[in-house]
């Protein structure tokens, strides 16, 4: 089966600019997650979707971050405006919407804000 | 809130050694636990998934154990190789929609 696809792989932007990341989950996976991983730390959940709906966005900085999942498949994560501390790897993962199943991660997008 | 801790943060061993990575969690009401490997600049690759009803899982040279009551999991790597050098992360999943909580990882370096 095809894995979780993410693009772009790398992005360098100046602070106060905007940026968007794209994720295509594994076919049939109803649950999609966006994680932020700062260098040297474990991934931190930003937002979790179940089909089209948001299950958990409690740690999403909503003043600058937004995410959507169109038709319960692809998802985009946007940052506007970016800050220096947003420099991180942004990981997308998907899972079957059933307890007991693990995650499959994409390769991530490395964002550098200068 | 679930807290996941991994010790040590970094580990350097000579090739061929058997080694153990540790993961502890504060809330024992978990549904499963997953071990991942992360190479520099890459995403996470799943290694092993242990359900709460299981005690261990094995894949090749890897063996993961789970002791829910004590809030601990270990990842055992037999006969380590330089290609095992990576960061190893554990993640615990509670009883709600597979939301996983991650530790900060153990960075492993296996020297030839």
């Amino acid at each position: 089966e095809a894995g979780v696809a993410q693009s772009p792989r790398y992005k360098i932007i100046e602070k106060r600019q905007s940026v968007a990341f794209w994720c295509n989950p594994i076919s049939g996976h109803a649950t999609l997650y966006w994680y932020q991983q700062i260098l040297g730390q474990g991934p931190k959940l930003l937002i979790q979707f179940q089909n089209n709906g948001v299950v958990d966005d409690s740690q999403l900085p909503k003043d600058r971050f937004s995410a959507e999942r169109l038709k319960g498949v692809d998802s985009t994560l946007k940052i506007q405006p970016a800050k220096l501390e947003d420099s991180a790897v942004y990981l997308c993962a998907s899972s079957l919407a059933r307890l007991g199943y693990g995650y499959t991660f994409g390769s991530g997008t490395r964002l550098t804000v200068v | 809130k679930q807290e996941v801790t991994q010790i040590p943060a970094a580990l350097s061993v000579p090739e061929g050694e058997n080694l153990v990575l540790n993961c502890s969690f504060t809330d024992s009401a978990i549904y499963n636990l997953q071990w991942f490997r992360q190479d520099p600049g890459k995403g996470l690759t799943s290694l092993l998934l242990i359900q709460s009803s299981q005690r261990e899982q094995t894949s090749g040279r890897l063996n993961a154990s789970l002791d829910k009551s004590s809030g601990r999991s270990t990842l055992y790597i037999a006969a380590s190789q330089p290609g095992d050098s990576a960061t190893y992360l554990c993640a615990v999943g509670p009883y709600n929609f597979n939301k996983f909580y991650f530790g900060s990882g153990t960075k492993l370096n296996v020297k030839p």
Side-chain angles (χ1 to χ4, degrees):
Chain A
E1 80 185 346
V4 176
Q6 286 189 250
S7 67
R9 285 299 314 277
Y10 306 93
K11 192 74 176 179
I12 301 174
I13 62 172
E14 295 182 350
K15 59 183 179 183
R16 291 187 290 275
Q17 285 188 325
S18 62
V19 64
F21 313 126
W22 173 82
C23 173
N24 179 245
I26 290 174
S27 178
H29 281 194
T31 310
L32 184 147
Y33 312 79
W34 283 102
Y35 278 85
Q36 179 193 58
Q37 187 178 25
I38 293 172
L39 187 65
Q41 299 181 17
K44 181 186 84 171
L45 180 69
L46 291 175
I47 189 166
Q48 177 184 348
F49 291 96
Q50 184 83 3
N51 296 309
N52 289 349
V54 174
V55 174
D56 185 345
D57 63 356
S58 56
Q59 298 194 84
L60 186 73
K62 298 181 185 65
D63 58 335
R64 297 183 301 106
F65 286 63
S66 64
E68 61 180 2
R69 189 177 184 194
L70 301 175
K71 300 180 181 178
V73 182
D74 292 6
S75 178
T76 56
L77 176 69
K78 296 179 182 177
I79 308 175
Q80 182 179 13
K83 293 184 176 181
L84 295 176
E85 57 262 36
D86 298 332
S87 295
V89 176
Y90 291 84
L91 296 161
C92 178
S94 69
S95 176
L96 288 170
R98 298 177 209 166
L99 285 174
Y101 282 84
Y103 284 177
T104 301
F105 278 86
S107 298
T109 296
R110 179 176 294 278
L111 173 67
T112 302
V113 182
V114 297
Chain B
K1 182 189 170 186
Q2 180 75 269
E3 299 285 343
V4 183
T5 304
Q6 290 188 247
I7 295 173
L11 181 64
S12 184
V13 300
E15 182 177 4
E17 256 195 29
N18 302 324
L19 57 99
V20 174
L21 308 181
N22 297 294
C23 172
S24 61
F25 45 94
T26 54
D27 186 350
S28 61
I30 68 169
Y31 203 86
N32 51 25
L33 184 146
Q34 194 165 0
W35 281 94
F36 293 89
R37 168 186 173 137
Q38 187 174 32
D39 293 287
K42 302 287 181 63
L44 278 66
T45 301
S46 178
L47 298 173
L48 291 163
L49 173 67
I50 311 177
Q51 306 298 337
S52 62
S53 58
Q54 297 174 320
R55 296 283 294 182
E56 63 180 290
Q57 282 284 345
T58 298
S59 176
R61 295 183 293 108
L62 305 180
N63 176 276
S65 67
L66 175 63
D67 184 345
K68 261 183 43 172
S69 60
S70 67
R72 292 181 183 178
S73 176
T74 61
L75 179 67
Y76 175 82
I77 303 177
S80 59
Q81 303 170 359
D84 295 330
S85 298
T87 296
Y88 291 82
L89 293 145
C90 75
V92 299
Y95 283 82
N96 62 338
F97 293 104
N98 284 347
K99 177 180 177 179
F100 277 69
Y101 292 90
F102 281 85
S104 296
T106 294
K107 187 173 182 179
L108 173 65
N109 179 37
V110 181
K111 298 172 288 187

